[in-house]
Amino acid sequence: MCGIFGIIAKEKSRYSNKFLKNSLINLAMLSETRGKDSSGLCFLNHNENGFDVIKGPIPANDLLKRPKVINTLNNVFSKENNSKLKLAIGHARLVTNGTQLEADNNQPVLK
């Protein structure tokens, strides 16, 4: 069993940054009921024209407390990014195959 979730907001969305950020956090917390062995988040990074992936062998609740996650959330959902597409996806994993202690076994996987 796993939990997959995400937020996509078009440029100049009518949803506030605070609403989008809180929605993503709430979805991450809810996904933890689907798996507590590992979790991860992937954010569209406009500055580097790529993606930021943050993951670990910990529940989503603990991942959300990491300074890198907090900083990335604040950056993605900032006033400076109001006119840009916002995209963030996440995953909570229940180990069924392969150890969560190996980063390659945890999602999101970027290829």
Side-chain angles (χ1 to χ4, degrees), residues 27-66:
L27 288 169
M29 297 297 291
L30 290 169
S31 75
E32 195 173 289
T33 62
R34 303 289 294 172
K36 294 185 178 189
D37 294 319
S38 67
S39 59
L41 295 164
C42 178
F43 302 94
L44 178 60
N45 182 329
H46 291 282
N47 295 334
E48 296 181 18
N49 197 27
F51 295 95
D52 293 328
V53 176
I54 307 166
K55 59 186 177 178
I58 56 177
N61 181 40
D62 293 336
L63 187 77
L64 290 169
K65 295 175 186 172
R66 287 189 169 178

Side-chain angles (χ1 to χ4, degrees), residues 3-108:
I4 300 169
F5 57 92
I7 295 273
I8 299 172
K10 295 196 307 186
E11 298 87 350
K12 298 181 183 178
S13 168
R14 292 188 297 173
Y15 294 105
S16 72
N17 285 318
K18 183 178 180 181
F19 173 80
L20 294 170
K21 178 180 165 184
N22 287 339
S23 295
L24 184 69
I25 290 169
N26 288 333
L27 288 169
M29 297 297 291
L30 290 169
S31 75
E32 195 173 289
T33 62
R34 303 289 294 172
K36 294 185 178 189
D37 294 319
S38 67
S39 59
L41 295 164
C42 178
F43 302 94
L44 178 60
N45 182 329
H46 291 282
N47 295 334
E48 296 181 18
N49 197 27
F51 295 95
D52 293 328
V53 176
I54 307 166
K55 59 186 177 178
I58 56 177
N61 181 40
D62 293 336
L63 187 77
L64 290 169
K65 295 175 186 172
R66 287 189 169 178
K68 186 173 181 182
V69 173
I70 294 167
N71 291 336
T72 303
L73 280 168
N74 289 334
N75 182 44
V76 169
F77 300 106
S78 67
K79 287 183 182 179
E80 291 78 30
N81 284 329
N82 272 349
S83 63
K84 298 178 181 173
L85 173 74
K86 293 176 182 69
L87 180 131
I89 59 170
H91 185 266
R93 178 174 183 238
L94 176 67
V95 172
T96 57
N97 190 13
T99 176
Q100 78 273 19
L101 300 177
E102 269 189 52
D104 289 343
N105 290 336
N106 296 327
Q107 301 205 30

